[in-house]
Amino acid sequence: MPPLVYFVRHGQTDWNAEERLQGQADTPLNALGRRQAEQNGRRLAGVIAAPADFDFVASPMLRTRRTMELARAAMGLDPAGYRTDDRLVELNFGDWQGFTFAELESRVPGAERAREFDKWDFRPPGVGAESYQMLLERVRPFFEELRVPTVCVTHGGVIRVLFRLVEGAPKAEAASLDVPQDRVLRLRQGRLEWL
């Protein structure tokens, strides 16, 4: 059982606001996303009494690193005092990356319906594209290696697979979970709870 872990989804980007499939595109936070990161840092400061006891780790993508830096600054910590782990990068959307579903539908009629039919195991076309199950297998070793209390800044897809890993959420439910960018997810004693 992993120790106490706080998971934070990166703050909003313009692509989030436009509902584009962001995947592994390295997009920056927008103004709202920066405020969300600072807000989550203040929330973490209110629940973590001894941050020196925690490991801080982020996906290496620009939006997650900036979220971590803003959150740490809001906690009164050195913004650069964290590490990155490649296993925490977002789901790869392959050829679909950068498109909205409306744009995809105009190019590939039925694309959204095909994904919704089995969202967990669906793999978009393109080199390197992943299903949620593939993402789960990539993230599982990171999760199993956690040994100390940790703050982790990552992506919506990674948090969705955590609900399947930790609580055994059904595939369809896990794949469709709403993952807010202005809240912190706490893992404690085998349970996930939004703060």
Side-chain angles (χ1 to χ4, degrees):
M1 181 70 60
L4 176 65
V5 185
Y6 293 98
F7 293 97
V8 177
R9 182 182 178 193
H10 63 80
Q12 188 186 77
T13 68
D14 287 344
W15 278 25
N16 289 140
E18 296 165 7
E19 297 185 351
R20 293 191 178 282
L21 294 170
Q22 196 159 216
Q24 295 182 3
D26 218 4
T27 53
L29 299 181
N30 61 23
L32 175 58
R34 292 188 294 274
R35 289 193 303 272
Q36 290 168 332
E38 292 165 350
Q39 173 187 324
N40 281 329
R42 290 190 296 273
R43 183 172 282 125
L44 288 166
V47 296
I48 296 176
D53 296 340
F54 279 71
D55 184 23
F56 287 77
V57 59
S59 157
M61 303 199 77
L62 176 63
R63 60 191 182 269
T64 42
R65 287 185 289 114
R66 186 69 177 131
T67 297
M68 176 67 88
E69 290 159 6
L70 289 167
R72 284 182 56 86
M75 295 175 75
L77 303 172
D78 174 6
Y82 69 97
R83 64 187 179 91
T84 61
D85 193 304
D86 291 344
R87 295 172 293 185
L88 295 172
V89 299
E90 181 59 293
L91 185 76
N92 187 326
F93 281 106
D95 293 346
W96 288 12
Q97 187 170 281
F99 291 99
T100 66
F101 274 111
E103 291 168 347
L104 278 174
E105 281 298 314
S106 71
R107 296 167 183 259
V108 185
E112 184 174 13
R113 188 171 50 252
R115 181 171 186 250
E116 290 301 317
F117 180 74
D118 183 8
K119 195 171 181 179
W120 184 265
D121 289 305
F122 181 83
R123 184 177 174 193
V127 176
E130 296 173 296
S131 67
Y132 278 109
Q133 183 61 40
M134 294 167 74
L135 177 60
L136 182 147
E137 297 305 329
R138 170 160 51 85
V139 170
R140 185 193 311 266
F142 167 82
F143 183 72
E144 290 174 345
E145 291 165 14
L146 292 173
R147 296 289 179 264
V148 298
T150 302
V151 172
C152 176
V153 178
T154 189
H155 305 270
V158 172
I159 291 173
R160 288 183 185 98
V161 303
L162 284 174
F163 277 89
R164 183 133 175 88
L165 274 171
V166 173
E167 296 189 344
K171 290 179 178 183
E173 179 183 315
S176 297
L177 280 173
D178 180 43
V179 181
Q181 293 169 300
D182 60 352
R183 296 185 64 193
V184 172
L185 180 66
R186 178 172 60 201
L187 169 61
R188 183 172 60 181
Q189 298 175 341
R191 295 299 314 263
L192 291 165
E193 176 188 12
W194 288 107
L195 304 179

